[in-house]
Amino acid sequence: MRIKKEWNNISIKIGLLFSGVFIGLLLILGFVFHGVFTDMFVDYIKQDLLARTNNHSRILGEHFDQATISHVVEMEKGVRTDVLITDDNQQVLASSVPPDEDMTDHITKANIDKGRVIESDWKNHSYIITISPIKNGGYVYMYYPASILREIVLGLNVILTAGGAGILLLAFASIAIMSKRVTKPLLMMKDATNKMALGRYRQAIPVNGEDEIAQLGKSIQSLGEQLQYFEESRNDFLASVSHELRTPLTYIKGYSDILNKGNIKDLDDQREYLGIIHKEATRISFLINDLFEMSKLEAGYFTMEKEWSSLNPIVEKVASNLKPAAEKKGLNLTTELNELPEVRIDPQRMEQAIYNLVENAIKYTSQGEVSIGTYSKGADVFVKVTDTGSGIPKQDLSKIWERFYRVDQSRTRKTGGSGLGLYVAKKIIESHDGKLSVDSTENKGSTFMISLKM
């Protein structure tokens, strides 16, 4: 079982892959080099042997007598090559060594008009043999022992084998080191993902460079940080939702128990208690609606039914619905609507987005006013929601669009809300290919701007 596990190790697999490729290439190069070297060496021997044969035939052609014949024979004694001289009828006149069977078998009866190689099969014959005709009659044969060639090729094979073995050892060592270096960050990533699966999301993976492995390590680190952020956001959100639900439910349960026991006889007190129950039930309803909208966005069920429509009636409807809430806080809710061209929108969803922005402005404004304006410029139409509220700190401006994010947790407890209103609004605007931006100054107010293409 342990052996099987080791064979599944990625470093071993990479090492085997590279080793197999390297061995294949080494064998191919070895065969090619062996063949090329052997062919070149044999060709050199044949050309050199033929040149010596032609040289001897030229000398004998100038002086074809016993002295010259003896001189040629003496020249080939004590060297690797042998010479044999025949007359015009192929009768042996002289030889540097006693002719053996392979020499005599190659004495040809054919008329030879120029020097040539008559035997080059060094693997199956005793000699490489050349012949050259003598000018005034007769022939010169030269013999190069094939055993010398076979010894040289055998030595070459030994050298190639030993060199190949040495190269293989070096290659295996290099491949082992390289595969370890390649797989080390992968194994670190595996360990990191295992820890992430156990809930330890933030993991440091020490990778260098900009290659694919380094990018993968950075992506895993980034994923871990995002998972940690979402985990913390979820825990914070659950705590917030629990608090938001527990408070109104406590009121609802307490006042409903009092009313149910019949202890309150005064009608004004009963109305007051029923009003508190209604207010807290409405608060729960808003929270549930926000959660429902977020779940649809996350699950991909947020459908759009677009049609050509004007934004002004939608703004008027939102202002009418939220005016009582503004007046209850002593705020002045105003509208400044300019003539607008129709745009292709989902009226219900756009109303929800504008409603969230205006409600958010009322929620965080304690005095002054909230204004809603519309206008067009160039190829765009704009909806602007401005308040004189507490504003948003500069460091929080980029985070207010995130799910569950609240700038001030304690302030959220007082004002209510789940931290989903702006997230939902931005998603709706972006689904219309529009933009939602904010400009805010702390303690002076905020301006939220919707821009849509005509």
Side-chain angles (χ1 to χ4, degrees):
M1 191 69 179
R2 179 178 176 82
I3 294 175
K4 183 177 180 181
K5 184 177 181 180
E6 289 178 351
W7 276 101
N8 286 328
N9 192 301
I10 188 170
S11 60
I12 293 179
K13 291 181 178 179
I14 292 177
L16 290 175
L17 175 63
F18 283 124
S19 298
V21 172
F22 184 81
I23 290 172
L25 291 174
L26 186 64
L27 289 174
I28 292 172
L29 289 174
F31 281 122
V32 171
F33 178 77
H34 180 273
V36 170
F37 178 82
T38 302
D39 289 344
M40 290 179 62
F41 186 70
V42 171
D43 188 64
Y44 169 77
I45 294 296
K46 290 191 293 185
Q47 296 302 321
D48 181 68
L49 190 64
L50 184 59
R52 291 170 65 86
T53 308
N54 289 333
N55 187 53
H56 288 326
S57 66
R58 180 181 59 79
I59 293 172
L60 291 171
E62 295 173 355
H63 304 281
F64 192 59
D65 52 33
Q66 189 60 45
T68 306
I69 292 173
S70 299
H71 175 70
V72 169
V73 170
E74 286 296 326
M75 287 177 62
E76 297 299 332
K77 286 184 178 181
V79 296
R80 292 181 177 181
T81 55
D82 296 310
V83 65
L84 186 146
I85 303 170
T86 67
D87 59 15
D88 204 28
N89 295 320
Q90 299 293 356
Q91 296 297 316
V92 177
L93 299 178
S95 176
S96 60
V97 294
D100 58 24
E101 184 178 354
D102 203 24
M103 288 182 175
T104 57
D105 286 344
H106 284 85
I107 294 177
T108 179
K109 302 295 184 180
N111 291 324
I112 304 297
D113 57 351
K114 63 179 181 178
R116 65 179 63 178
V117 179
I118 59 174
E119 182 58 73
S120 59
D121 185 6
W122 57 275
K123 294 179 180 179
N124 299 312
H125 288 272
S126 300
Y127 304 96
I128 292 177
I129 305 173
T130 58
I131 185 174
S132 182
I134 300 172
K135 182 178 180 182
N136 296 318
Y139 299 91
V140 177
Y141 292 86
M142 290 289 295
Y143 305 88
Y144 188 92
S147 59
I148 297 176
L149 270 176
R150 288 193 283 267
E151 289 175 1
I152 292 173
V153 172
L154 178 62
L156 175 64
N157 292 340
V158 171
I159 293 172
L160 288 176
T161 302
I167 292 173
L168 281 177
L169 290 175
L170 291 174
F172 286 152
S174 301
I175 290 170
I177 295 171
M178 182 178 65
S179 62
K180 285 287 185 182
R181 292 188 64 181
V182 170
T183 57
K184 183 179 178 180
L186 295 177
L187 295 175
M188 294 171 63
M189 292 176 205
K190 174 191 171 186
D191 183 59
T193 53
N194 287 338
K195 292 178 181 177
M196 289 168 63
L198 297 175
R200 295 155 61 185
Y201 299 119
R202 282 201 176 97
Q203 295 294 324
I205 303 175
V207 291
N208 299 315
E210 294 295 331
D211 58 17
E212 290 80 356
I213 294 179
Q215 292 175 14
L216 176 60
K218 293 175 183 177
S219 297
I220 292 175
Q221 285 187 135
S222 176
L223 175 63
E225 291 171 0
Q226 292 181 37
L227 289 173
Q228 185 66 40
Y229 169 74
F230 284 127
E231 177 74 10
E232 293 171 355
S233 298
R234 185 195 67 170
N235 293 337
D236 182 60
F237 173 71
L238 291 175
S240 176
V241 170
S242 298
H243 182 276
E244 296 294 338
L245 289 173
R246 183 169 59 249
T247 301
L249 285 174
T250 301
Y251 280 114
I252 291 170
K253 185 177 183 300
Y255 285 109
S256 63
D257 283 344
I258 294 173
L259 292 173
N260 187 49
K261 291 177 181 178
N263 295 333
I264 305 301
K265 303 299 182 181
D266 186 77
L267 291 178
D268 290 337
D269 289 340
Q270 290 179 4
R271 290 191 188 96
E272 181 183 354
Y273 290 168
L274 288 172
I276 292 172
I277 292 173
H278 180 266
K279 175 184 175 183
E280 298 302 328
T282 302
R283 184 176 172 183
I284 292 176
S285 177
F286 284 150
L287 178 61
I288 298 301
N289 284 337
D290 283 344
L291 291 172
F292 181 64
E293 292 300 330
M294 188 206 72
S295 66
K296 288 195 294 184
L297 283 168
E298 294 296 316
Y301 298 138
F302 196 78
T303 57
M304 306 291 292
E305 297 180 3
K306 294 183 180 182
E307 59 184 59
W308 291 100
S309 181
S310 174
L311 289 171
N312 284 340
I314 297 174
V315 172
E316 290 176 343
K317 182 178 178 181
V318 170
S320 176
N321 290 339
L322 288 174
K323 194 160 190 171
E327 291 176 347
K328 188 174 181 179
K329 293 187 68 175
L331 303 176
N332 187 23
L333 179 59
T334 62
T335 59
E336 183 180 345
L337 308 180
N338 294 289
E339 186 175 349
L340 295 177
E342 290 188 342
V343 288
R344 187 167 175 78
I345 58 173
D346 182 328
Q348 184 177 354
R349 297 297 184 191
M350 188 58 64
E351 179 184 339
Q352 181 183 7
I354 298 173
Y355 186 98
N356 285 0
L357 294 178
V358 178
E359 182 190 37
N360 188 74
I362 294 172
K363 189 182 299 179
Y364 295 112
T365 302
S366 56
Q367 61 181 0
E369 68 173 9
V370 174
S371 64
I372 316 170
T374 62
Y375 63 95
S376 63
K377 184 178 180 181
D380 297 325
V381 295
F382 299 90
V383 178
K384 181 169 67 173
V385 179
T386 304
D387 64 63
T388 57
S390 56
I392 304 169
K394 187 176 181 180
Q395 66 270 18
D396 293 312
L397 281 175
S398 62
K399 302 176 183 177
I400 61 173
W401 313 111
E402 298 175 4
R403 297 174 301 172
F404 317 137
Y405 188 80
R406 275 77 52 83
V407 174
D408 188 338
Q409 299 290 345
S410 61
R411 185 178 68 177
T412 303
R413 296 286 185 262
K414 298 175 182 178
T415 60
S418 60
L420 292 172
L422 293 180
Y423 170 78
V424 172
K426 187 172 181 66
K427 288 293 183 183
I428 291 174
I429 300 304
E430 288 177 346
S431 67
H432 285 82
D433 297 324
K435 294 180 180 179
L436 177 57
S437 58
V438 62
D439 183 23
S440 182
T441 303
E442 198 168 2
N443 299 321
K444 289 187 178 181
S446 305
T447 297
F448 287 84
M449 183 76 73
I450 298 173
S451 63
L452 299 170
K453 296 292 183 183
M454 290 185 187

